[in-house]
Amino acid sequence: MDQYTLTEYNIGEDLDSLMNLDPRGYGVCRILYPAAREYTGSPLTTNFAKKLLETVKEGDLVYIISGFVLPPFGVPETDGIISTVLLCRTLVLLGIKPVVVCPDGNLPAVKAMAPVVGLHLYSSPEEIMNLPAAMAVVPFTKDVNEAAKQAKTLLDKKPAAVITNEAPGANKNGIYHNATGLDVSDMQAKADVMFRLAKERKIPTFSIGDLGNEIGMGTIEEQITKYIPYAADADTCRCGCNGGIMADTKADTLLTATVSDWGVYGIIAAIAWYKKDINLMHTPEMEKEAIFAASRAGMIDMYGWLNPAIDGQDYTICCAVVKLMR
């Protein structure tokens, strides 16, 4: 093993370890990671970053699907959408054209965070293709009957890749679940319809998740159904659909983490290392401002509070993770 290969391996191991820190003792990350690592055959962060950089080039259009709506308030959570906007910043600095695809409830947060990361925000892919420092956001329908039509319209613009980040995926029976096994189908954007069509069209797919009910997590189906609560079929399904919470979609490239946002930060850090440009990764200060912007725009923590936190992790912990990764 030469010095570069050794350093690359150690960078990946360090970033993987950081994104799988578990301050609240949740434990799911330690169930998901071994299966995802076996699937990739190498550290998840560097694997994801390398494949993304090999797939997407300057000037390419990329869709990032995100946004998980939580009961009982019917409001999207902070996890996923925060790191999605921060990833948009990294991609724009590389000359790539990112479009966020999310539930309409996420729009206030995206609008609030875009200036935090220095980007102009537009409402269609066409508007950003010839502009610097720009991203777009498109709300995706919650109507399953309209989803196929909207998916076709978006994919006809020929994206180089489709990334999903903490986005709900239906199980094999077409039902979307929250972490506790309840049916939350009516609340969710049906963006996994777009993901499936992307797979059919051979568009490279990348997915980030932290439980098993997110788009793409069917990649490690055996591990999830064996160990994750409410993931199996009739024996543990709480909503009566007898399908469990596991999303019935598989991604070409997969990453799991304690918090999906932390997984994306690991990817961004790996991209910065490959490109030898630390500016590609945001600072702890920008992380804090983004979390506060999303929270003040109405996004909730996983427990339903309008606090500046992500998946039960206070903003100070998230900023510390970013600092360590940098």
Side-chain angles (χ1 to χ4, degrees), residues 13 41 57 115 129 147 182 215 247 251-252 258 299 321:
E13 291 286 355
K57 303 294 186 286
M129 295 309 293
L182 300 179
I215 296 173
D252 299 322
T258 299
M299 305 302 98
V321 169

Side-chain angles (χ1 to χ4, degrees), residues 60-141:
D60 282 348
L61 174 67
V62 172
Y63 291 127
I64 310 175
I65 299 170
S66 191
F68 211 124
V69 181
L70 302 182
F73 303 102
V75 173
E77 65 172 326
T78 50
D79 190 23
I81 202 64
I82 293 174
S83 63
T84 290
V85 174
L86 289 160
L87 178 59
C88 285
R89 171 188 176 272
T90 301
L91 296 177
V92 168
L93 288 170
L94 294 172
I96 297 160
K97 308 299 180 179
V99 177
V100 178
V101 179
C102 62
D104 55 9
N106 280 125
L107 295 181
V110 177
K111 291 177 181 177
M113 286 188 288
V116 171
V117 302
L119 298 181
H120 300 268
L121 184 64
Y122 293 86
S123 58
S124 70
E126 293 84 357
E127 293 175 284
I128 67 171
M129 295 309 293
N130 295 311
L131 289 174
M135 60 176 285
V137 61
V138 176
F140 201 85
T141 182

Side-chain angles (χ1 to χ4, degrees), residues 273-294:
W273 184 78
Y274 279 120
K275 290 295 185 178
K276 300 296 180 279
D277 183 359
I278 191 61
N279 186 51
L280 291 172
M281 184 169 190
H282 61 290
T283 62
E285 291 76 19
M286 185 179 289
E287 170 75 3
K288 177 182 177 180
E289 192 173 352
I291 292 174
F292 270 85

Side-chain angles (χ1 to χ4, degrees), residues 219-299:
T219 308
I220 52 173
E221 175 181 4
E222 183 177 351
Q223 187 87 340
I224 290 172
T225 55
K226 184 175 182 180
Y227 293 111
I228 298 298
Y230 316 117
D233 298 338
D235 291 340
T236 61
C237 184
R238 291 184 67 203
C239 78
C241 79
N242 295 331
I245 72 170
M246 194 197 72
D248 187 35
T249 42
K250 297 181 179 180
D252 299 322
T253 303
L254 180 71
L255 180 140
T256 65
T258 299
V259 178
S260 291
D261 277 354
W262 293 5
V264 177
Y265 302 158
I267 294 164
I268 293 172
I271 290 173
W273 184 78
Y274 279 120
K275 290 295 185 178
K276 300 296 180 279
D277 183 359
I278 191 61
N279 186 51
L280 291 172
M281 184 169 190
H282 61 290
T283 62
E285 291 76 19
M286 185 179 289
E287 170 75 3
K288 177 182 177 180
E289 192 173 352
I291 292 174
F292 270 85
S295 175
R296 299 299 182 254
M299 305 302 98

